[in-house]
mmCIF file with all atom_site columns, all heavy atoms in Angstrom:
data_model
loop_
_atom_site.group_PDB
_atom_site.id
_atom_site.type_symbol
_atom_site.label_atom_id
_atom_site.label_alt_id
_atom_site.label_comp_id
_atom_site.label_asym_id
_atom_site.label_entity_id
_atom_site.label_seq_id
_atom_site.pdbx_PDB_ins_code
_atom_site.Cartn_x
_atom_site.Cartn_y
_atom_site.Cartn_z
_atom_site.occupancy
_atom_site.B_iso_or_equiv
_atom_site.pdbx_formal_charge
_atom_site.auth_seq_id
_atom_site.auth_comp_id
_atom_site.auth_asym_id
_atom_site.auth_atom_id
_atom_site.pdbx_PDB_model_num
ATOM 1  N N   . LYS A 1 316 ? 107.968 156.693 119.929 1.00 0.00 ? 1334 LYS A N   1
ATOM 2  C CA  . LYS A 1 316 ? 107.625 156.649 121.264 1.00 0.00 ? 1334 LYS A CA  1
ATOM 3  C C   . LYS A 1 316 ? 107.423 155.259 121.766 1.00 0.00 ? 1334 LYS A C   1
ATOM 4  O O   . LYS A 1 316 ? 106.869 154.448 120.974 1.00 0.00 ? 1334 LYS A O   1
ATOM 5  C CB  . LYS A 1 316 ? 106.248 157.472 121.527 1.00 0.00 ? 1334 LYS A CB  1
ATOM 6  C CG  . LYS A 1 316 ? 106.388 158.927 121.115 1.00 0.00 ? 1334 LYS A CG  1
ATOM 7  C CD  . LYS A 1 316 ? 105.109 159.603 121.303 1.00 0.00 ? 1334 LYS A CD  1
ATOM 8  C CE  . LYS A 1 316 ? 105.090 161.063 120.910 1.00 0.00 ? 1334 LYS A CE  1
ATOM 9  N NZ  . LYS A 1 316 ? 103.768 161.786 121.014 1.00 0.00 ? 1334 LYS A NZ  1
ATOM 10 N N   . ASP A 1 317 ? 107.802 154.955 122.950 1.00 0.00 ? 1335 ASP A N   1
ATOM 11 C CA  . ASP A 1 317 ? 107.651 153.644 123.635 1.00 0.00 ? 1335 ASP A CA  1
ATOM 12 C C   . ASP A 1 317 ? 106.193 153.627 124.296 1.00 0.00 ? 1335 ASP A C   1
ATOM 13 O O   . ASP A 1 317 ? 106.008 154.388 125.194 1.00 0.00 ? 1335 ASP A O   1
ATOM 14 C CB  . ASP A 1 317 ? 108.647 153.338 124.584 1.00 0.00 ? 1335 ASP A CB  1
ATOM 15 C CG  . ASP A 1 317 ? 109.952 153.050 124.022 1.00 0.00 ? 1335 ASP A CG  1
ATOM 16 O OD1 . ASP A 1 317 ? 110.044 152.520 122.814 1.00 0.00 ? 1335 ASP A OD1 1
ATOM 17 O OD2 . ASP A 1 317 ? 111.069 153.317 124.668 1.00 0.00 ? 1335 ASP A OD2 1
ATOM 18 N N   . ILE A 1 318 ? 105.334 152.736 123.758 1.00 0.00 ? 1336 ILE A N   1
ATOM 19 C CA  . ILE A 1 318 ? 104.026 152.654 124.264 1.00 0.00 ? 1336 ILE A CA  1
ATOM 20 C C   . ILE A 1 318 ? 103.792 151.406 125.006 1.00 0.00 ? 1336 ILE A C   1
ATOM 21 O O   . ILE A 1 318 ? 104.194 150.370 124.449 1.00 0.00 ? 1336 ILE A O   1
ATOM 22 C CB  . ILE A 1 318 ? 102.972 152.704 123.122 1.00 0.00 ? 1336 ILE A CB  1
ATOM 23 C CG1 . ILE A 1 318 ? 103.114 154.069 122.333 1.00 0.00 ? 1336 ILE A CG1 1
ATOM 24 C CG2 . ILE A 1 318 ? 101.552 152.626 123.593 1.00 0.00 ? 1336 ILE A CG2 1
ATOM 25 C CD1 . ILE A 1 318 ? 102.372 154.092 121.097 1.00 0.00 ? 1336 ILE A CD1 1
ATOM 26 N N   . PRO A 1 319 ? 103.383 151.522 126.385 1.00 0.00 ? 1337 PRO A N   1
ATOM 27 C CA  . PRO A 1 319 ? 103.176 150.173 127.152 1.00 0.00 ? 1337 PRO A CA  1
ATOM 28 C C   . PRO A 1 319 ? 102.128 149.353 126.541 1.00 0.00 ? 1337 PRO A C   1
ATOM 29 O O   . PRO A 1 319 ? 100.963 149.809 126.219 1.00 0.00 ? 1337 PRO A O   1
ATOM 30 C CB  . PRO A 1 319 ? 102.858 150.704 128.449 1.00 0.00 ? 1337 PRO A CB  1
ATOM 31 C CG  . PRO A 1 319 ? 102.322 152.056 128.293 1.00 0.00 ? 1337 PRO A CG  1
ATOM 32 C CD  . PRO A 1 319 ? 102.967 152.614 127.038 1.00 0.00 ? 1337 PRO A CD  1
ATOM 33 N N   . LEU A 1 320 ? 102.345 148.017 126.433 1.00 0.00 ? 1338 LEU A N   1
ATOM 34 C CA  . LEU A 1 320 ? 101.396 147.068 125.983 1.00 0.00 ? 1338 LEU A CA  1
ATOM 35 C C   . LEU A 1 320 ? 101.433 145.870 126.949 1.00 0.00 ? 1338 LEU A C   1
ATOM 36 O O   . LEU A 1 320 ? 101.879 144.791 126.496 1.00 0.00 ? 1338 LEU A O   1
ATOM 37 C CB  . LEU A 1 320 ? 101.628 146.600 124.566 1.00 0.00 ? 1338 LEU A CB  1
ATOM 38 C CG  . LEU A 1 320 ? 101.364 147.549 123.434 1.00 0.00 ? 1338 LEU A CG  1
ATOM 39 C CD1 . LEU A 1 320 ? 101.583 146.978 122.063 1.00 0.00 ? 1338 LEU A CD1 1
ATOM 40 C CD2 . LEU A 1 320 ? 99.926  148.141 123.472 1.00 0.00 ? 1338 LEU A CD2 1
ATOM 41 N N   . PRO A 1 321 ? 101.033 145.969 128.174 1.00 0.00 ? 1339 PRO A N   1
ATOM 42 C CA  . PRO A 1 321 ? 101.019 144.801 128.986 1.00 0.00 ? 1339 PRO A CA  1
ATOM 43 C C   . PRO A 1 321 ? 99.792  143.883 128.741 1.00 0.00 ? 1339 PRO A C   1
ATOM 44 O O   . PRO A 1 321 ? 98.992  144.148 127.902 1.00 0.00 ? 1339 PRO A O   1
ATOM 45 C CB  . PRO A 1 321 ? 100.865 145.504 130.428 1.00 0.00 ? 1339 PRO A CB  1
ATOM 46 C CG  . PRO A 1 321 ? 99.928  146.660 130.198 1.00 0.00 ? 1339 PRO A CG  1
ATOM 47 C CD  . PRO A 1 321 ? 100.491 147.144 128.783 1.00 0.00 ? 1339 PRO A CD  1
ATOM 48 N N   . PHE A 1 322 ? 99.700  142.818 129.443 1.00 0.00 ? 1340 PHE A N   1
ATOM 49 C CA  . PHE A 1 322 ? 98.548  141.917 129.257 1.00 0.00 ? 1340 PHE A CA  1
ATOM 50 C C   . PHE A 1 322 ? 97.323  142.786 129.818 1.00 0.00 ? 1340 PHE A C   1
ATOM 51 O O   . PHE A 1 322 ? 97.408  143.350 130.914 1.00 0.00 ? 1340 PHE A O   1
ATOM 52 C CB  . PHE A 1 322 ? 98.673  140.664 130.267 1.00 0.00 ? 1340 PHE A CB  1
ATOM 53 C CG  . PHE A 1 322 ? 97.580  139.683 130.120 1.00 0.00 ? 1340 PHE A CG  1
ATOM 54 C CD1 . PHE A 1 322 ? 97.503  138.852 128.990 1.00 0.00 ? 1340 PHE A CD1 1
ATOM 55 C CD2 . PHE A 1 322 ? 96.668  139.590 131.111 1.00 0.00 ? 1340 PHE A CD2 1
ATOM 56 C CE1 . PHE A 1 322 ? 96.424  137.915 128.909 1.00 0.00 ? 1340 PHE A CE1 1
ATOM 57 C CE2 . PHE A 1 322 ? 95.636  138.699 131.003 1.00 0.00 ? 1340 PHE A CE2 1
ATOM 58 C CZ  . PHE A 1 322 ? 95.555  137.889 129.952 1.00 0.00 ? 1340 PHE A CZ  1
ATOM 59 N N   . ASN A 1 323 ? 96.401  142.924 128.967 1.00 0.00 ? 1341 ASN A N   1
ATOM 60 C CA  . ASN A 1 323 ? 95.340  143.883 129.169 1.00 0.00 ? 1341 ASN A CA  1
ATOM 61 C C   . ASN A 1 323 ? 94.099  143.371 129.898 1.00 0.00 ? 1341 ASN A C   1
ATOM 62 O O   . ASN A 1 323 ? 93.400  142.536 129.416 1.00 0.00 ? 1341 ASN A O   1
ATOM 63 C CB  . ASN A 1 323 ? 94.790  144.385 127.810 1.00 0.00 ? 1341 ASN A CB  1
ATOM 64 C CG  . ASN A 1 323 ? 94.156  145.804 127.932 1.00 0.00 ? 1341 ASN A CG  1
ATOM 65 O OD1 . ASN A 1 323 ? 93.320  145.896 128.778 1.00 0.00 ? 1341 ASN A OD1 1
ATOM 66 N ND2 . ASN A 1 323 ? 94.501  146.715 127.069 1.00 0.00 ? 1341 ASN A ND2 1
ATOM 67 N N   . LEU A 1 324 ? 94.092  143.719 131.224 1.00 0.00 ? 1342 LEU A N   1
ATOM 68 C CA  . LEU A 1 324 ? 92.937  143.208 132.041 1.00 0.00 ? 1342 LEU A CA  1
ATOM 69 C C   . LEU A 1 324 ? 91.529  143.800 131.737 1.00 0.00 ? 1342 LEU A C   1
ATOM 70 O O   . LEU A 1 324 ? 90.587  143.101 131.815 1.00 0.00 ? 1342 LEU A O   1
ATOM 71 C CB  . LEU A 1 324 ? 93.265  143.549 133.503 1.00 0.00 ? 1342 LEU A CB  1
ATOM 72 C CG  . LEU A 1 324 ? 94.534  142.822 134.132 1.00 0.00 ? 1342 LEU A CG  1
ATOM 73 C CD1 . LEU A 1 324 ? 94.641  143.210 135.518 1.00 0.00 ? 1342 LEU A CD1 1
ATOM 74 C CD2 . LEU A 1 324 ? 94.384  141.434 133.991 1.00 0.00 ? 1342 LEU A CD2 1
ATOM 75 N N   . ASP A 1 325 ? 91.529  144.910 131.045 1.00 0.00 ? 1343 ASP A N   1
ATOM 76 C CA  . ASP A 1 325 ? 90.316  145.501 130.589 1.00 0.00 ? 1343 ASP A CA  1
ATOM 77 C C   . ASP A 1 325 ? 89.723  144.651 129.447 1.00 0.00 ? 1343 ASP A C   1
ATOM 78 O O   . ASP A 1 325 ? 88.548  144.320 129.374 1.00 0.00 ? 1343 ASP A O   1
ATOM 79 C CB  . ASP A 1 325 ? 90.483  146.966 130.082 1.00 0.00 ? 1343 ASP A CB  1
ATOM 80 C CG  . ASP A 1 325 ? 90.629  147.957 131.182 1.00 0.00 ? 1343 ASP A CG  1
ATOM 81 O OD1 . ASP A 1 325 ? 90.044  147.788 132.266 1.00 0.00 ? 1343 ASP A OD1 1
ATOM 82 O OD2 . ASP A 1 325 ? 91.368  148.888 130.939 1.00 0.00 ? 1343 ASP A OD2 1
#
Side-chain angles (χ1 to χ4, degrees):
K1334 299 179 181 178
D1335 286 331
I1336 300 173
L1338 290 182
F1340 185 75
N1341 198 314
L1342 296 181
D1343 287 328

